[in-house]
Amino acid sequence: MTRTTAPRPVDIAAVIPALAPLARTATRLHPRPGSPSCYDSSVGGPLLWPAGEPWPHCHDPHWGEVMSLRQARSKRQDAVCDEAALSEDDYQWKNTPEDLAKFQQLYDPDPVLPEGPIAMLPIAQLYVRDVPGLRAPAGKDLLQVLWCPFEHDEYLIPKTVVVWRSAAMVTDILADPPEPAVVQDGLGQFVPEPCTIAPEQVTEYPRSSELDDHLQQQLQQWEAAYLGIDVEDLGEIESPYNSDLSVAPGWKIGGWIGWHGSGPWVEPCPGCGEPTEPLLTIASWERDGAQHSWVPDEDRPDMLAGGNGCPTKINIGDAWDLVICACAASPDHPHVPNLLS
Ligand SMILES: [Zn+2]
Ligand SMILES: [Zn+2]
């Protein structure tokens, strides 16, 4: 399986040479539903985890409505993910009587939030051999990311754990990892569909909000000329630079952060105070904005018709992204989660 992003409609570094030094390579992961094993790179797939190592659990307080993990994996998730705004009455029309019967069977009428820590769920497992541009600490070649399937604190983000390990050191694999009995039942969807990945490298430039004043002015003049409108009218429309030329949507390694409402502001490394850079972007959607030029060639018929924009079946907040940033100086320093609302 491969995924191919078309060349950008404009080579912006040729038009505005001052952008050229800001180019970064991102590796789009293109997760799509599949049956990955623990020996594969995956999103939401099984982890290569040592039998003798404790599985991560979240000890933070949890609250709110819950549903069983089994139910979260059922048909209902498709409807909620694709039509987040629909009520339960509304989504039923989308399903066949067989679907509804299955849903009733899976439906747990009274799930209870248990006392004590919550077992975390695998979110991503990436082998360095599969993902160009994935920068590992010395001696490590496997990145594993887990999260707790609840919103935490006022920012509504699931709590993440990042593990780097050497795959060759895992000889006795944990066969039956713990799972949470229940997960949060709300707008957020934190149970990923198991997906294989098809890494592809693309070139990105910072969002316009990260550029200095001089570059922003140059960019605005170019955008106005490109669109054939006055600079004053640019605020009325989607920026063609931000939509099509700067940051790719979806799951990826590296690159720039696709700020929209929030930011731009990234916490420094809690270990040493150095700047942090995007490591992994966990995205609610694979396509973005009014311009759809980032949709891979292989997915264009389906995605542009409205389907498959959310192949991982996760949703953070209101279709937000979570960017896990890592220390630019030492990749084994503690990570910093950033919410893109
Ligand atoms: Zn938690
Ligand atoms: Zn650091």
Side-chain angles (χ1 to χ4, degrees):
M1 182 182 75
T2 57
R3 289 289 184 279
T4 315
T5 303
R8 299 300 78 212
V10 174
D11 178 2
I12 194 64
V15 179
I16 304 176
L19 282 172
L22 301 175
R24 279 186 191 169
T25 300
T27 306
R28 303 187 72 185
L29 297 178
H30 298 305
R32 299 292 183 269
S35 304
S37 83
C38 67
Y39 300 105
D40 299 318
S41 292
S42 65
V43 164
L47 303 185
L48 186 80
W49 196 269
E53 188 173 309
W55 187 261
H57 283 68
C58 179
H59 295 262
D60 285 4
H62 302 96
W63 63 87
E65 297 289 307
V66 296
M67 63 177 150
S68 68
L69 181 62
R70 200 176 60 147
Q71 186 183 328
R73 286 173 171 155
S74 76
K75 183 74 183 172
R76 179 165 187 253
Q77 207 177 5
D78 294 75
V80 174
C81 186
D82 290 336
E83 306 287 346
L86 290 182
S87 71
E88 291 201 4
D89 286 342
D90 286 332
Y91 78 71
Q92 294 199 5
W93 65 263
K94 292 181 61 159
N95 298 313
T96 64
E98 292 74 26
D99 287 335
L100 286 173
K102 188 174 149 199
F103 170 71
Q104 296 295 347
Q105 199 182 8
L106 288 167
Y107 184 73
D108 182 351
D110 196 19
V112 176
L113 181 62
E115 298 276 326
I118 300 274
M120 289 187 155
L121 280 174
I123 288 303
Q125 163 164 288
L126 301 172
Y127 287 88
V128 166
R129 60 158 202 253
D130 295 333
V131 185
L134 180 57
R135 197 169 63 102
K140 308 288 172 65
D141 62 355
L142 176 58
L143 171 66
Q144 296 173 323
V145 181
L146 303 91
W147 71 17
C148 173
F150 283 81
E151 290 167 347
H152 294 73
D153 66 42
E154 73 268 35
Y155 299 112
L156 310 179
I157 48 180
K159 190 180 176 112
T160 48
V161 165
V162 173
V163 177
W164 280 105
R165 68 172 75 252
S166 161
M169 302 292 284
V170 186
T171 48
D172 193 7
I173 300 165
L174 181 65
D176 202 8
E179 290 191 319
V182 297
V183 302
Q184 186 164 314
D185 184 7
L187 193 58
Q189 294 292 309
F190 304 126
V191 182
E193 179 83 9
C195 290
T196 54
I197 61 168
E200 180 203 21
Q201 292 193 292
V202 296
T203 300
E204 294 187 338
Y205 298 93
R207 278 278 195 259
S208 57
S209 57
E210 290 207 74
L211 301 174
D212 65 36
D213 289 350
H214 179 64
L215 259 175
Q216 284 194 22
Q217 281 171 13
Q218 270 189 285
L219 196 55
Q220 284 176 356
Q221 278 161 10
W222 172 78
E223 286 193 319
Y226 180 68
L227 296 167
I229 61 174
D230 292 333
V231 169
E232 304 83 66
D233 296 330
L234 283 173
E236 309 290 316
I237 50 156
E238 186 94 18
S239 154
Y241 171 76
N242 281 336
S243 300
D244 291 326
L245 309 178
S246 65
V247 181
W251 287 64
K252 65 177 181 181
I253 287 290
W256 287 94
I257 296 180
W259 302 108
H260 22 100
S262 60
W265 166 250
V266 178
E267 297 281 337
C269 171
C272 70
E274 289 291 310
T276 54
E277 291 176 347
L279 171 64
L280 173 67
T281 298
I282 299 170
S284 293
W285 285 83
E286 286 294 308
R287 62 167 191 263
D288 195 17
Q291 320 281 340
H292 292 141
S293 72
W294 293 103
V295 174
D297 293 346
E298 294 81 356
D299 296 321
R300 295 192 79 77
D302 187 23
M303 273 200 195
L304 297 186
N308 204 28
C310 183
T312 60
K313 301 289 192 287
I314 64 132
N315 180 53
I316 302 165
D318 188 8
W320 300 334
D321 293 348
L322 181 62
V323 183
I324 294 178
C325 288
C327 179
S330 303
D332 50 355
H333 283 181
H335 71 285
V336 179
N338 274 278
L339 185 68
L340 302 192
S341 59

